[in-house]
Amino acid sequence: ELTDILNHIWTANKHGGRKQRLADIQALPAYSRLLTKIDGFKYVLDSEISLMIDQVRRVDEEPYHLDRNKGRIGYKVMDSISYEVTYGYRTVFAYLQEAEKDNLKEKDKVLASALYIPLSCGQFSYANISPERILGVSGTLSALGRYENHVLAKYGVDTFMYVPSVYGESNFQFDKAGDGIRVESNISDYYHSITDQIQTVIKQKRS
């Protein structure tokens, strides 16, 4: 039933026209059948369908990467592609979009695992579950102010140990006035100045 609903929303959006409404989906036989299986959770289903209707129009809003060999969709995170990251129903409809383009090798198998309702089952703070012990590492411990220390104490963090950095003393320093900008008259001198700067920084162990 869920697959039927998702396919219906995707197909209707592809054909254009007015934005679909919740009532349009509620009129589908698949909706009625699904509702009988999750009796008492109509409000959850309606809420999720509303999200589907909204996000089907935004499937390409977040650029995604398709791994054709493994039939999975990922998103750029920092300098790599993560296949653990999803964007709700935008990702779900992205699978339908790729299936429509025949880009999925095992289409039925991939869609069987991709077409689902990504329900959030709750969130909680680890600091609020009363653990026996809280351990942490921070490079800014010595920079904490009175308020930050008060917050830590509220959670029972009141013992601190300061350990020297394994990286040694920081070599960071600001450029002196006049050394930050250089204008060269030709491209050859420009590259030569870049090389000089690199060598200087290396000698100062700042690279």
Side-chain angles (χ1 to χ4, degrees):
E1 292 81 7
L2 178 60
T3 299
D4 291 342
I5 291 173
L6 287 167
N7 274 303
H8 175 87
I9 293 174
W10 173 251
T11 302
N13 176 75
K14 184 179 62 175
H15 291 159
R18 69 172 177 82
K19 181 180 179 180
Q20 298 170 87
R21 296 178 299 213
L22 176 59
D24 297 329
I25 309 305
Q26 289 174 330
L28 297 175
Y31 175 88
S32 301
R33 294 196 303 270
L34 182 56
L35 200 58
T36 61
K37 295 182 178 181
I38 54 172
D39 186 39
F41 291 94
K42 181 179 184 297
Y43 70 97
V44 175
L45 180 58
D46 288 349
S47 175
E48 293 302 312
I49 289 175
S50 295
L51 287 174
M52 296 175 193
I53 293 171
D54 174 64
Q55 295 184 14
V56 69
R57 291 174 171 245
R58 300 160 51 201
V59 63
D60 292 314
E61 191 174 278
E62 192 68 35
Y64 61 83
H65 173 78
L66 173 66
D67 182 344
R68 293 173 181 266
N69 292 326
K70 296 185 178 180
R72 56 182 182 169
I73 285 175
Y75 295 88
K76 184 178 180 181
V77 177
M78 302 298 285
D79 294 325
S80 63
I81 300 296
S82 172
Y83 296 96
E84 301 298 323
V85 174
T86 63
Y87 285 86
Y89 292 107
R90 281 180 284 176
T91 303
V92 173
F93 288 119
Y95 277 101
L96 284 175
Q97 181 167 258
E98 294 304 324
E100 196 172 76
K101 296 177 181 177
D102 290 326
N103 288 334
L104 301 178
K105 288 184 177 180
E106 300 180 68
K107 183 171 69 174
D108 293 338
K109 182 180 178 181
V110 172
L111 292 182
S113 62
L115 303 186
Y116 64 94
I117 295 180
L119 282 177
S120 173
C121 296
Q123 298 176 334
F124 61 89
S125 167
Y126 285 108
N128 287 324
I129 60 175
S130 301
E132 285 189 18
R133 183 163 294 139
I134 298 178
L135 301 176
V137 177
S138 172
T140 59
L141 191 57
S142 60
L144 297 181
R146 182 180 300 176
Y147 174 76
E148 288 87 354
N149 280 297
H150 174 72
V151 172
L152 290 175
K154 186 174 69 172
Y155 291 104
V157 181
D158 52 16
T159 302
F160 306 98
M161 178 182 295
Y162 295 87
V163 180
S165 171
V166 297
Y167 300 105
E169 186 177 353
S170 174
N171 289 318
F172 174 80
Q173 58 180 318
F174 288 101
D175 285 334
K176 296 179 181 179
D179 291 342
I181 300 176
R182 181 177 298 181
V183 179
E184 301 296 347
S185 59
N186 56 65
I187 193 69
S188 177
D189 289 344
Y190 169 71
Y191 287 125
H192 184 71
S193 294
I194 291 177
T195 303
D196 285 345
Q197 286 295 313
I198 292 173
Q199 294 297 330
T200 300
V201 170
I202 291 175
K203 290 178 181 179
Q204 294 176 350
K205 297 183 177 179
R206 293 174 55 201
S207 61

